[in-house]
């Protein structure tokens, strides 16, 4: 049955890739750039469901859970509108969504609306080399909270109250960025403060919180223009309004402090322009999270990523990515059960995308993509694998 679904998805993908690039009207207003796209894809594990039965140590009686892995077709859609003036004023709107086909998969539908308004100011004789951007932004995001084992909307276990709205939120914030270039060396610093207002599920705590970010990086040429090294540091904090932290026995107690996390990330990148057609990037990153109550959810996350981009010409390219990360918790237990070992997870992912621009009707492009992801965790509720294939078209005008 799965093979039949894959064949159907490939046929439908071919059809939509031919039609999606002509589904949007163009605008020639000066300073206005519009981008739109649509596609069709097949996802082998829509709800990120564990592929094997497991004993749930988080539930009373430790029952054996037999998950139901569900696959199907989805339609990714996006639309961007960006307007800039000569004075540096910028206004933008962005929409992204994934709509899954079939009533059994509708709980996986997502959408994101984001708007921004800001201004860039250049400095010095060569203003393009040193600039400051300051702006405001807001967004609305929808993602249903579901039972990963079944794809059904989430309910509380004891009182059977619907809490599926828990992941929906609106965000508002301020952001700033400073850029400069001196003797071929790029330096960028950025800061942002955001208020994330999540829907209140009433029966359990809301995820509403404040987020503050501060970071910087420097990119240095080490072998002419063909090899560059990038070094970066990022700081982030999340302070929750109502959500409580766990104590070292993994318990949520009303007397515990409100949850507060800080994140410190060190990153490095090696960029190699092998020739006019080939670009290779190797990234390494380490993030340490600190739970400011008693440290229950402290973790270290190490990531490695290799990316390759090859341009056949100015109208066609292919790019690939291979990534690996390892997440280790210092104090937290799998299943939040003190009888289980400390939490750990390994994630392996790979992706491949090819795109070809068409020399007519503005700037349309057709693309096809492949993605694979595998998460191996000792908290078996979060073990899963998925494969995703998609094709579609984009149009910028």
């Amino acid at each position: 049955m799965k093979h039949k679904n894959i064949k159907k998805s490939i046929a439908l993908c071919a059809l939509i890739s031919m039609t999606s690039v002509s589904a949007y009207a163009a605008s020639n207003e000066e300073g206005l750039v519009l981008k739109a796209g649509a596609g069709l894809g097949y996802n082998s594990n829509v709800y990120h469901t564990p592929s094997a039965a497991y004993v749930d140590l988080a539930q009373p009686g430790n029952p054996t859970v037999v998950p139901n892995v569900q696959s199907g077709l989805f339609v990714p859609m996006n639309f961007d509108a960006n307007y800039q003036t000569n004075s540096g004023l910028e206004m933008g709107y962005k929409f992204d969504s994934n709509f899954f086909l079939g009533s059994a998969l509708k709980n996986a539908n997502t959408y994101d609306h984001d708007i921004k308004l800001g201004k860039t100011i250049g400095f010095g004789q060569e203003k393009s080399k040193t600039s400051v951007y300051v702006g405001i932004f807001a967004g609305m995001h929808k993602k249903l909270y579901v039972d990963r084992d079944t794809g059904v909307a989430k309910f509380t276990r004891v009182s059977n109250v619907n809490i599926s709205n828990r992941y929906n939120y609106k965000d508002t914030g301020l952001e700033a960025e400073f850029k400069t270039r001196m003797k071929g060396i790029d330096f960028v610093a950025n800061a942002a403060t955001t208020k994330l207002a999540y829907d209140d599920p009433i029966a359990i705590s809301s995820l509403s919180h404040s987020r503050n970010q501060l970071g910087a990086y420097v990119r240095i040429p080490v072998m002419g223009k063909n090899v560059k090294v990038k070094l970066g540091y990022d700081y982030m904090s999340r302070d929750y309004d109502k959500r409580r932290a766990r104590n070292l026995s993994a318990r949520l107690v009303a007397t515990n402090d409100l949850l507060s996390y800080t994140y410190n990330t060190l990153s490095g990148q090696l960029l190699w322009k092998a020739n006019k057609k080939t670009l290779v990037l190797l990234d390494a990153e380490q993030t340490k999270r600190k739970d400011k109550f008693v440290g229950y959810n402290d973790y270290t996350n190490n990531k490695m990523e290799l990316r390759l981009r090859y341009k056949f010409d100015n109208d066609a390219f292919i790019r690939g990515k291979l990534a690996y990360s390892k997440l280790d918790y210092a104090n937290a237990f799998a299943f939040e059960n003190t009888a289980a070992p400390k939490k750990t997870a390994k994630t392996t992912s790979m992706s491949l995308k090819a795109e070809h621009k068409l020399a007519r009707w503005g700037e349309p492009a057709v693309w096809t993509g492949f993605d694979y992801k595998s998460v191996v965790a000792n908290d078996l509720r979060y073990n899963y694998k998925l494969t995703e294939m998609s094709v579609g078209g984009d149009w910028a005008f």
Side-chain angles (χ1 to χ4, degrees):
M1 188 69 181
K2 285 187 176 181
H3 293 300
K4 290 183 178 180
N5 286 338
I6 293 174
K7 289 180 179 178
K8 289 180 181 179
S9 71
I10 293 173
L12 287 170
C13 286
L15 177 61
I16 199 166
S17 69
M18 296 171 62
T19 60
S20 62
V21 293
S22 59
Y24 303 93
S27 172
N28 295 317
E29 289 186 43
E30 184 178 355
L32 178 65
V33 176
L34 301 178
K35 297 180 181 180
L40 187 72
Y42 171 81
N43 188 312
S44 69
N45 189 350
V46 172
Y47 295 109
H48 298 180
T49 305
S51 57
Y54 65 92
V55 176
D56 191 349
L57 301 178
Q59 292 191 47
N62 302 149
T64 297
V65 177
V66 182
N68 176 28
V69 178
Q70 300 177 66
S71 60
L73 303 176
F74 68 98
V75 176
M77 298 180 64
N78 63 81
F79 176 78
D80 293 347
N82 197 75
Y83 180 76
Q84 287 183 312
T85 68
N86 292 331
S87 64
L89 185 67
E90 180 180 352
M91 295 172 282
Y93 166 74
K94 183 176 182 179
F95 170 75
D96 277 298
S97 68
N98 282 314
F99 292 102
F100 286 80
L101 307 182
S103 58
L105 306 181
K106 66 180 181 179
N107 286 345
N109 293 343
T110 63
Y111 68 73
D112 299 279
H113 298 274
D114 291 285
I115 59 174
K116 67 175 182 178
L117 173 64
K119 184 176 178 64
T120 299
I121 303 172
F123 295 94
Q125 294 180 348
E126 298 183 61
K127 294 185 178 181
S128 62
K129 290 188 176 182
T130 302
S131 63
V132 172
Y133 171 83
V134 179
I136 59 175
F137 59 87
M140 183 170 62
H141 313 272
K142 182 176 181 180
K143 179 182 178 181
L144 207 65
Y145 182 26
V146 301
D147 185 329
R148 292 161 60 103
D149 297 318
T150 63
V152 174
K154 195 75 170 179
F155 283 73
T156 56
R157 291 174 185 163
V158 178
S159 54
N160 200 38
V161 175
N162 190 326
I163 53 174
S164 61
N165 67 334
R166 195 187 195 196
Y167 291 161
N168 300 332
Y169 71 96
K170 299 178 179 66
D171 62 332
T172 55
L174 304 170
E175 60 184 348
E177 183 177 68
F178 170 79
K179 294 182 179 181
T180 189
R181 170 176 285 190
M182 296 179 62
K183 297 181 180 180
I185 298 175
D186 295 310
F187 176 79
V188 177
N190 51 70
T193 181
T194 311
K195 179 60 182 177
L196 298 96
Y198 281 77
D199 287 357
D200 192 348
I202 308 299
I204 59 175
S205 61
S206 163
L207 296 178
S208 293
H209 66 280
S210 299
R211 182 181 67 205
N212 294 296
Q213 297 166 277
L214 184 66
Y217 72 81
V218 59
R219 182 183 285 119
I220 306 167
V222 293
M223 293 177 62
K225 296 181 179 180
N226 293 334
V227 179
K228 294 183 179 181
V229 172
K230 176 182 173 183
L231 301 173
Y233 168 76
D234 292 281
Y235 169 85
M236 180 171 68
S237 67
R238 294 181 184 269
D239 297 302
Y240 288 81
D241 298 347
K242 297 181 179 180
R243 193 180 181 192
R244 297 286 171 178
R246 291 182 183 270
N247 61 26
L248 290 177
S249 298
R251 296 185 61 196
L252 285 170
V253 182
T255 55
N256 291 357
D257 289 353
L258 290 173
L259 186 60
S260 180
Y261 290 140
T262 58
Y263 303 77
N264 289 277
T265 300
L266 294 173
S267 60
Q269 180 189 86
L270 177 66
L271 181 152
W272 176 38
K273 190 175 181 180
N275 51 53
K276 292 182 178 180
K277 294 185 176 182
T278 308
L279 182 66
V280 181
L281 298 102
L282 178 63
D283 293 273
E285 180 181 289
Q286 183 182 82
T287 299
K288 288 184 176 291
R289 183 172 78 176
K290 178 66 177 176
D291 181 338
K292 294 171 72 174
F293 177 45
V294 291
Y296 176 78
N297 269 316
D298 290 0
Y299 70 55
T300 299
N301 192 12
N302 292 300
K303 299 179 181 179
M304 292 287 292
E305 185 176 278
L306 176 65
R307 289 178 286 166
L308 173 68
R309 177 186 171 110
Y310 181 83
K311 290 179 64 175
F312 295 97
D313 51 43
N314 290 332
D315 296 324
F317 72 85
I318 186 169
R319 67 176 181 229
K321 180 178 73 173
L322 179 63
Y324 173 81
S325 67
K326 188 173 188 295
L327 184 64
D328 292 303
Y329 285 79
N331 303 307
F333 300 95
F335 297 95
E336 318 302 347
N337 187 324
T338 55
K342 298 292 176 61
K343 265 196 277 192
T344 185
K346 299 176 183 178
T347 301
T348 304
S349 61
M350 62 183 71
S351 65
L352 192 66
K353 182 177 181 179
E355 181 175 306
H356 180 66
K357 293 181 180 179
L358 306 177
R360 59 183 184 275
W361 308 321
E363 295 184 21
V366 291
W367 52 263
T368 181
F370 170 84
D371 293 276
Y372 170 81
K373 186 175 184 180
S374 171
V375 178
V376 179
N378 61 355
D379 188 329
L380 302 178
R381 296 173 296 176
Y382 304 105
N383 256 355
Y384 72 92
K385 294 181 181 180
L386 71 81
T387 300
E388 195 172 276
M389 299 176 292
S390 56
V391 298
D394 297 319
W395 200 356
F397 40 85

